Amino acid sequence: MSNWDWQVFCKDTIDGEIVARCFGGPGDLTYLDWLLSAWGWTLSVSLLALLVALAFGSLMGILRTAPNRGLVLLGNAWTELFRNIPLLVQIFLWYHVVPALLPPLRGVPSFILVVLGLGLFTSARISEQVKAGIQSLPRGQRMAGLALGFTLPQTYRHVILPMAFRIVIPPLTSESMNIVKNSAVAFAVSISELTLFALQAQEETARGIEIYLAVTALYFVSAFAINRVLHFVEQRVRVPGMIGGGQ
Amino acid sequence: MNLDFAFLTPQILSSYVLKGFVFSLQLTLVAMLGGIALGTVLALMRLSNRPWLVLPAAAYVNTMRSIPLVMVILWFFLLIPLIIGRPLGAEMSAVITFTLFEAAYYSEIMRAGIQSIPRGQVAAGYALGMTYGQTMGLVVLPQAFRNMLPVLLTQTIILFQDTSLVYAIGAYDLLKGFEVAGKNFNRPVETYLVAAVLYFAISFSLSMLVRKLQQRIAIVR
């Protein structure tokens, strides 16, 4: 193995010359510029997919606890469908198959398709956790809500969900970190995120180890940052006297 | 757009897809067996009371678990030739990568399994004059495996799905087989659909089996 060459990040992506301040100007990018923009794409894909996953995952998780067999079946089918197909295959389905079968989706940018693919894939896992969180509450809470004259949606809104969501924050934290890691598959449909940067910059510069180390470090930092944010949320919303709260 | 699956004849499937399917299954099987073996060693290291065993094992597991699998595949594909001094095919590289990567995940499962065995059993083993190896091999690990069997199998289903990620280094797996067939016959939509259905059928039926197994184990215990 040869010596380190961290100057590779200061090189211009077109002529390979080392740029003095490591940052290029407009239309003249260094590998450092490219790395940072790739990090931005990774974060955007991850965070938007997380929103999609939280929305659909919560909805399906709630449906799976509803006192209605049709809704339970819908939630179960959703979860099994998105859980049992590999993420990469799902991404290809969104990219190659969905626009071909649904003409209105033909012009949609691949960024949106990847966000949907990653988001719905993760929604299946989140729906499992939300369902488990709701079912971990004593049945009496639902009964008490209904007995007080709440409708079923009101019972969910004011009694069950506030507790259930607090319970599922720890598993949601690890799922949010997984989203950052899983966003790496976006390279397969040419989203210019960290993994695609790693593949292409490694090929162009032949400094694979430095490039991969930087990319790996950024993945690590991103996942850790999400972990800290959700840990902070978990602390803030704690209910004294409940699960780990009120210390 | 009209879907036309007629070109996917048995001959086409066996010449394009079968090779990849066999590789995906081999990769899953080798990585499962190797990963569980290595994972058990890592779990025992982490549960020992010697820091020089605990720290490297913990560092290994946590590092593997915090890097995206695609990056791990790329890392090994880059590093293995540098270490052994000659290029190694994408398939062989994938087998090594998945075994070492899955070991980290299996080790967490085995650690939980070993910790689920009451401490008294270890003490009882020692009290009967058994060595550490005998206590682990004859008393603790058989029960830990049994308790963790459903979780180990669920992880294996995830492993099977993850084998599709060897796409990153161009290894010829199940997904690649369908992709090549789709490109050659200019029918990518159909081949991706069939690939998805096949992956779903395999993963779903396996997870149903695991669920059955879980119920049986739960009743016997």
Side-chain angles (χ1 to χ4, degrees):
Chain A
M1 240 176 278
S2 48
N3 297 321
W4 297 115
D5 178 14
W6 291 101
Q7 284 208 315
V8 61
F9 288 103
C10 299
K11 281 184 180 163
D12 191 290
T13 50
I14 298 163
D15 54 24
E17 294 294 314
I18 291 174
V19 176
R21 297 176 60 96
C22 281
F23 287 103
D28 181 33
L29 294 177
T30 62
Y31 283 99
L32 186 62
D33 295 322
W34 188 5
L35 174 70
L36 293 178
S37 111
W39 191 23
W41 281 106
T42 288
L43 291 179
S44 333
V45 169
S46 309
L47 293 179
L48 289 176
L50 183 58
L51 290 182
V52 173
L54 282 176
F56 282 94
S58 308
L59 177 66
M60 291 299 157
I62 292 168
L63 290 187
R64 291 171 78 192
T65 63
N68 177 316
R69 293 189 61 174
L71 294 179
V72 173
L73 198 67
L74 172 67
N76 286 344
W78 176 280
T79 307
E80 295 299 342
L81 177 68
F82 287 104
R83 202 172 50 168
N84 282 309
I85 301 178
L87 174 58
L88 185 60
V89 178
Q90 292 195 31
I91 297 287
F92 283 150
L93 285 183
W94 283 99
Y95 189 72
H96 294 286
V97 177
V98 171
L101 297 183
L102 302 171
L105 285 175
R106 211 153 279 175
V108 176
S110 54
F111 172 73
I112 305 284
L113 295 174
V114 165
V115 166
L116 283 174
L118 182 57
L120 296 188
F121 171 82
T122 312
S123 79
R125 293 141 168 272
I126 290 184
S127 104
E128 283 281 287
Q129 292 159 358
V130 170
K131 177 190 138 192
I134 293 174
Q135 287 179 342
S136 74
L137 292 174
R139 287 196 315 163
Q141 298 221 356
R142 179 191 300 253
M143 294 168 182
L146 294 172
L148 282 172
F150 281 159
T151 62
L152 189 64
Q154 283 173 333
T155 309
Y156 269 95
R157 163 71 185 81
H158 297 288
V159 181
I160 298 174
L161 292 184
M163 282 319 296
F165 273 115
R166 286 176 167 87
I167 292 173
V168 297
I169 289 179
L172 282 188
T173 304
S174 72
E175 214 45 69
S176 312
M177 295 164 73
N178 279 341
I179 271 204
V180 177
K181 289 194 282 166
N182 286 336
S183 74
V185 298
F187 85 92
V189 290
S190 304
I191 303 290
S192 179
E193 46 73 72
L194 283 172
T195 302
L196 191 70
F197 165 79
L199 275 167
Q200 294 184 338
Q202 186 265 131
E203 204 138 284
E204 289 175 20
T205 63
R207 304 301 313 184
I209 295 185
E210 288 87 345
I211 302 275
Y212 283 11
L213 272 177
V215 165
T216 306
L218 286 183
Y219 272 119
F220 191 81
V221 169
S222 319
F224 189 71
I226 288 192
N227 177 303
R228 288 296 92 191
V229 168
L230 284 176
H231 185 74
F232 175 74
V233 171
E234 190 186 338
Q235 304 271 332
R236 281 300 299 266
V237 300
R238 261 180 188 169
V239 177
M242 297 298 291
I243 320 112
Q247 288 162 354
Chain B
M1 146 121 225
N2 295 316
L3 292 176
D4 177 13
F5 294 97
F7 74 97
L8 281 171
T9 58
Q11 285 94 333
I12 296 301
L13 283 178
S14 74
S15 58
Y16 283 92
V17 178
L18 189 63
K19 183 179 128 196
F21 191 26
V22 170
F23 174 67
S24 288
L25 292 183
Q26 282 173 335
L27 179 56
T28 307
L29 212 63
V30 173
M32 176 184 79
L33 297 176
I36 290 179
L38 192 57
T40 306
V41 174
L42 284 169
L44 289 174
M45 284 169 73
R46 288 192 77 173
L47 291 173
S48 83
N49 44 21
R50 296 180 183 84
W52 56 273
L53 284 176
V54 176
L55 292 179
Y60 179 85
V61 171
N62 290 333
T63 309
M64 283 295 186
R65 278 162 39 95
S66 51
I67 306 177
L69 175 53
V70 182
M71 278 312 296
V72 178
I73 293 173
L74 293 178
W75 264 117
F76 277 83
F77 196 53
L78 179 80
L79 287 182
I80 291 175
L82 291 180
I83 293 169
I84 64 171
R86 62 185 172 83
L88 196 65
E91 277 79 13
M92 202 54 217
S93 177
V95 170
I96 296 173
T97 309
F98 272 84
T99 307
L100 294 179
F101 180 81
E102 291 299 326
Y105 284 82
Y106 283 122
S107 95
E108 288 293 87
I109 299 171
M110 285 312 296
R111 191 160 69 115
I114 295 169
Q115 282 177 326
S116 74
I117 310 297
R119 286 201 78 82
Q121 302 219 5
V122 179
Y126 286 145
L128 285 171
M130 287 180 168
T131 62
Y132 171 82
Q134 286 171 328
T135 310
M136 281 298 159
L138 298 172
V139 179
V140 176
L141 286 182
Q143 300 181 76
F145 271 118
R146 191 197 155 84
N147 290 352
M148 285 296 129
L149 196 57
V151 193
L152 289 170
L153 291 176
T154 305
Q155 179 62 32
T156 304
I157 299 173
I158 297 173
L159 161 63
F160 171 68
Q161 295 191 21
D162 281 347
T163 57
S164 59
L165 294 176
V166 297
Y167 179 87
I169 53 174
Y172 200 101
D173 73 326
L174 179 57
L175 178 61
K176 182 83 169 180
F178 276 110
E179 199 195 16
V180 172
K183 284 218 169 97
N184 281 5
F185 292 89
N186 200 21
R187 289 253 163 229
V189 175
E190 285 86 346
T191 50
Y192 283 128
L193 270 177
V194 176
V197 170
L198 187 57
Y199 272 109
F200 179 83
I202 296 172
S203 306
F204 184 67
S205 41
L206 286 179
S207 59
M208 287 295 121
L209 282 177
V210 172
R211 209 168 289 177
K212 280 251 165 62
L213 180 79
Q214 206 163 12
Q215 284 162 358
R216 279 188 60 174
I217 289 183
I219 290 167
V220 176
R221 204 189 291 141

